[in-house]
Each structure stands twice: as C-alpha cells, then as structure tokens.
Amino acid sequence: MSEALARPRVLEAQKVADTLVEKLGASIRDVTVADASAKTGLALRDAEKGLQWALAEYRGHLKVTEGGDLIFHFPTGFTKPWKTKETMQEWLARVGKSLWAVAKVAIKVWILAAIIFYTAIFVAIIIGMTLAALAGRSSDDRDDDRGFTFGDYLMWRVITDLVGDAIWATFHYRAIRDYEEMAAGRIRPQDRKPRKRLYERVFQFIFGPEGKPADPLEDEKRVLAIIRQRHGRIGMADVMAVTGLTHDEAERLITRLLVDYEGEIEVSEAGAVFYIFKDLRKTVDEKALPATVPMSWELPVRVAPLTGDNTAGSNLTIAALNGFNLVASGFAIASDLTLAKINAILQGIPIERIGDTGPAIFLGWIPFAYSLSIFALPAGRAVARLKDVAKAKWENGKRALLQLITRDPVAHHPPERLARAYENGAGEKPEEKALDQLLLKLGGDLEVTDDGRARWRFPELAREAAALTEARQGASATEKQLGAVVYDSSKDLPPN
C-alpha cells in the first residue's frame, strides 16, 4: 500500500464542504453521509464532518428516520439567499461604528462648549440690555452728563452676583451635598463614587448611555460550560436553556460547535438526536469544572435608562440651560435681534430708531435649531426605546417559557400555564397568536385531547431528555482523565 493511501484521509471541514458543494450541486436538499461519500469519493468520516460544517454554513437541519438514520436537510440547498442583506448590514455597521468612534470625543466637548457659549452670550446680553434700559430710563429725569452712578453699580452687582451664584450652585450642587454628607458622617470619602465629567453627562442626556460591547462568544462559552458540566453529552434543550435561542437558532449554533470542537452526533433507539463532545471533558483539575451554569432566565434582558446613570439633578441642569438658550434664541428670532441691533441698543439708541438689520442668524436661528435638536434627540430616543423595551419583554417572556419547558419537557402544558409563564417573565400578557408562533419556534406541537382541550407537547425535547439521561449515566469517568505525563519540555531547559 502506498504512503498516500496509508495516510489518514482527514481533511479540513471547510475544504470538504467545498468539495461537497462542487460535487453535489447547489440545488441539493436532502443527503445522507453515504450519499455524500459515494458521490464525492470522500471517506465516510470526512463526508460527515463536511456535512456538519455545511449545516451551520447553509442553515441546514437534521432529520431522523424510523431506523435511526440521519438525513442532512438544506432548505435552500448550498446557497445563501440571506447573505447579501446581512453583508450589507454588517458593512454599514462597521463603517458607522468607525465614524462614530472618531467623532464621538469631539462631539462631546463641542456640544457642551456650544451650550455654555450661548448661555454666556445670552446672559451677557440680558445684563447689558438691562443696564442700558436703566440708564436710558434715568436719563429722562437727570442730566445726560451724570454718568454711571453708584446705584447703577449696585444694580449691576446684584444682577451679576445672582446669575453667577445660580450658575455656580447649578454646577456644584453635587459637591456641596457630598461635603455636607461627609461632614455629617453619613458617607465616607472612599464611598463617594467618581462622577462623570459634565460633557459626558451632556452627551448621555442627548445620545443615551454608551453600552459595553457585547461578547460575541458569550453564548458559545456558556454552551461549552454546560457540555463540561453534563458529562460531554448535551441536547437541543440544553443549548436553548443556556442561550435563550429558539430551536432553529440553537441548532445552527450546535452544528457549528460540532466542527469546531470535534463533536459527534448520536441517535438513540427512540430516534432522539443528541451530541457528544468527549474531548471537552479533559481537565487537569476536576474542581475547575463548572458546578453551575447560569440559565438564560437567570440573566434577564434589561434596557438601559434613557439618560444612562445621569442623576435627576444633572438632567434638570442640562434641560434648564438648553431651555434657556431655546427661549432666548426664540426671542431673538421674533425680535430680529442681530448683533448690530444689540450694539445700537447698548449705545443708547432707541429701538424704534434702529432700522432693519436683517434676520437674527447668529443669535437666533443657529442656537434655536441647535437647542431644539438637543431636546429632539432624547425625545426620538424615548420613542425608539419603547421598541427596545418591547423586545426585552418578548425575550424575557421567551426565557421564562424555556424555564418551564426544559425543566419538564415530558409534560403536556395547557395554553393557560404557558401564558402565565410568559407573563411572569415579560411582565405583560402575550397575544394568543404571537404565543402560538413562539411555542412553535421552541419546538412545540399543539394537540387537542378527546374532550376538546388544547395541550402543548414538546416530543423531540422529551425523547432527547430520556436519551441524554441514559447517555450521561453511561459516560465513562475516564473521558475526563489525563494519562501520566511522559514528556515535559521544561526538563530540557538548561539550569539558570
């Protein structure tokens, strides 16, 4: 026998799948391992690995015959009609994320600077016009050469001190309160939480909290943990329970893991499919194996507050400053308050004698549109957040259903019990049609008894649970044990 024939015919799964696509054709729908092997010339083991990889890549499914044989089913053949849409969405998401990261810091500082800039300008204009009005009023009764009196100085000090104290107290309220709390002994300095900078709070008010990036491998890590905990044998119910995925979504995940982690598909005598990952049981310390794995219903989906961790005081301060700018700029638009007109007023020219100076752009339309957008963006987010809240309720309701179904897959559940479980998770009652569709996605089968009562069964999960109980009891403890160390590379290192 030649060396080539003697060498094990084990190929990379993706390369094998490419061979399957080429030999079987893109229109293939149902195929067995034997079909794939005969039509491609691949070894049975290689053909099986390639088909497992194709299940995940082309969103296929498994079928089991009465005799326990496996059929690999591909609803769309070896094609990906969804790929163009997903690729475009992924590309747009990446571009948007990159642009946003570049612009975010500049936007934070610029927004705050603009708010404070216009607030300061409008406050200065109000003070200046007030002083000009007082000077003009007093000039009617006094000599024009009287000048700026001590009384005018006192009025100016009162106005500026009041405005200054109000602004200072607004931005330092938290510091004053914390100082009083510490002085009274109610909090310790080390207990005081670091507070976000003002520009960060303004950014959160407008654009919402910056969520932590989700770990794309979180679901996979939990599935691997439950594989190790449950003797290397898992079924679809285990994957659904720890991830919160529907039946089809869980199947796509586990078929990918079969290739990545050298898993095997097993079919019981009752026709139940489950999955074995013996290599994942290997460990140098059994105590390192997970004692518990959090289930999806123990990790409810939550929607972040509209303005993140901003306090009510911070939001009120930002809204007050922006509201002041909005009202002031609106007055400037209505009065055609241009810089030229303000200059004339401050020089003592009566307003009725000031000609047309054009529309108020700098003091009117620009800050008005800017301030309006600062209120409009959170309002728009509040509307969009309603959709996120609805999605979170649906997800939490689904996870509550999974808790009931996976803990007792053999039971026949009346619709009322399932509806109550959903309501407990979601916080609201489900629509009957929507609940039925969800239960079908979770592998449910609706049946009507002889007395006319409806019951939901989960036959595939029930068969799977029975098969897994037997498989786990028969799992050998030696699968997780390592043999004696026969070589240690550190022994070859020269002494220090």
Side-chain angles (χ1 to χ4, degrees):
M1 183 181 294
S2 68
E3 182 182 353
L5 292 177
R7 191 183 303 122
R9 300 176 63 188
V10 178
L11 306 175
E12 294 182 12
Q14 186 172 355
K15 292 181 179 179
V16 173
D18 291 340
T19 302
L20 293 176
V21 173
E22 179 184 353
K23 299 295 185 181
L24 300 180
S27 61
I28 191 71
R29 292 294 183 272
D30 295 297
V31 63
T32 65
V33 174
D35 291 332
S37 180
K39 292 181 180 180
T40 61
L42 296 170
L44 288 173
R45 179 66 176 173
D46 293 334
E48 183 178 12
K49 283 295 181 184
L51 287 172
Q52 289 174 2
W53 187 90
L55 280 179
E57 185 72 8
Y58 297 100
R59 298 185 179 180
H61 305 282
L62 286 174
K63 295 179 180 180
V64 182
T65 66
E66 292 181 354
D69 298 312
L70 283 177
I71 299 175
F72 292 78
H73 174 64
F74 301 93
T76 60
F78 289 149
T79 63
K80 303 176 183 178
W82 61 86
K83 193 63 179 177
T84 301
K85 181 179 179 181
E86 287 185 355
T87 301
M88 180 61 68
Q89 290 174 344
E90 292 169 359
W91 182 82
L92 290 174
R94 284 198 300 270
V95 172
K97 186 177 181 180
S98 300
L99 293 175
W100 179 243
V102 172
K104 189 162 53 178
V105 175
I107 290 174
K108 287 180 180 180
V109 177
W110 181 73
I111 288 174
L112 177 61
I115 292 175
I116 295 177
F117 173 73
Y118 272 108
T119 300
I121 285 181
F122 286 131
V123 169
I125 290 173
I126 291 171
I127 293 173
M129 293 182 67
T130 301
L131 292 176
L134 291 174
R137 188 189 312 163
S138 62
S139 66
D140 294 337
D141 302 322
R142 300 180 185 180
D143 186 70
D144 290 340
D145 296 332
R146 178 186 57 84
F148 191 74
T149 66
F150 181 69
D152 294 334
Y153 170 75
L154 289 178
M155 179 63 69
W156 177 78
R157 284 301 305 270
V158 168
I159 294 174
T160 55
D161 285 354
L162 284 175
V163 172
D165 289 346
I167 294 175
W168 188 90
T170 296
F171 289 106
H172 294 79
Y173 168 75
R174 173 73 177 271
I176 295 172
R177 187 187 65 185
D178 287 350
Y179 176 79
E180 292 174 348
E181 292 285 327
M182 286 188 288
R186 287 190 288 269
I187 63 173
R188 298 174 300 172
Q190 59 268 32
D191 295 333
R192 181 181 173 187
K193 295 182 180 179
R195 198 180 188 199
K196 290 183 179 293
R197 294 179 176 87
L198 180 59
Y199 71 82
E200 293 177 322
R201 283 177 273 149
V202 172
F203 188 84
Q204 280 197 152
F205 178 87
I206 301 172
F207 297 103
E210 299 181 66
K212 295 180 180 179
D215 184 355
L217 298 177
E218 185 61 34
D219 284 347
E220 185 169 324
K221 288 190 292 186
R222 287 207 297 271
V223 173
L224 295 178
I226 204 167
I227 288 174
R228 304 195 79 189
Q229 184 200 53
R230 299 186 176 180
H231 308 295
R233 277 82 174 157
I234 63 165
M236 207 64 66
D238 298 310
V239 180
M240 294 163 66
V242 296
T243 62
L245 298 175
T246 61
H247 190 279
D248 286 351
E249 293 167 340
E251 187 175 20
R252 287 199 292 271
L253 173 59
I254 201 167
T255 50
R256 180 171 59 80
L257 298 182
L258 281 171
V259 176
D260 292 345
Y261 298 97
E262 296 293 327
E264 300 175 1
I265 301 173
E266 190 75 18
V267 181
S268 70
E269 293 182 359
V273 178
F274 59 96
Y275 309 90
I276 301 177
F277 297 85
K278 294 180 181 179
D279 289 345
L280 285 177
R281 299 192 68 193
K282 302 291 184 182
T283 180
V284 295
D285 182 9
E286 289 191 30
K287 295 180 180 179
L289 296 176
T292 59
V293 180
M295 298 291 110
S296 61
W297 52 83
E298 298 172 345
L299 304 168
V301 178
R302 305 189 188 280
V303 180
L306 185 65
T307 58
D309 56 3
N310 277 8
T311 62
S314 294
N315 290 335
L316 184 60
T317 299
I318 297 166
L321 289 173
N322 193 61
F324 170 76
N325 289 346
L326 186 65
V327 172
S329 58
F331 175 78
I333 293 171
S335 306
D336 291 330
L337 202 59
T338 62
L339 293 175
K341 182 175 287 189
I342 291 174
N343 184 51
I345 293 173
L346 294 178
Q347 290 178 5
I349 301 174
I351 193 169
E352 61 273 8
R353 291 173 54 187
I354 302 174
D356 184 16
T357 58
I361 303 298
F362 179 72
L363 295 176
W365 288 109
I366 292 177
F368 184 82
Y370 184 79
S371 301
L372 189 63
S373 66
I374 288 178
F375 281 135
L377 286 171
R381 288 194 304 103
V383 175
R385 187 175 180 272
L386 297 176
K387 186 176 181 180
D388 293 336
V389 170
K391 286 182 178 179
K393 288 181 177 180
W394 183 87
E395 181 64 30
N396 291 330
K398 179 182 67 171
R399 296 183 180 194
L401 283 174
L402 285 171
Q403 180 180 13
L404 176 63
I405 294 167
T406 57
R407 286 185 174 179
D408 191 6
V410 181
H412 293 195
H413 302 280
E416 297 80 12
R417 181 191 301 166
L418 295 166
R420 283 196 303 272
Y422 180 95
E423 184 178 359
N424 290 337
E428 63 182 22
K429 293 183 179 180
E431 296 181 2
E432 183 177 351
K433 185 177 180 180
L435 180 62
D436 290 347
Q437 291 176 345
L438 177 56
L439 290 170
L440 289 172
K441 290 182 179 180
L442 297 180
D445 185 10
L446 181 62
E447 66 174 19
V448 180
T449 60
D450 294 338
D451 55 2
R453 290 183 298 177
R455 291 288 186 272
W456 280 93
R457 299 171 56 248
F458 297 85
E460 184 178 338
L461 300 184
R463 291 194 300 270
E464 176 187 280
L468 281 169
T469 298
E470 182 178 351
R472 287 167 185 159
Q473 289 174 349
S476 173
T478 58
E479 291 177 357
K480 59 184 175 182
Q481 295 175 356
L482 299 175
V485 176
V486 296
Y487 172 72
D488 185 348
S489 62
S490 64
K491 304 298 184 183
D492 298 334
L493 297 176
N496 293 330

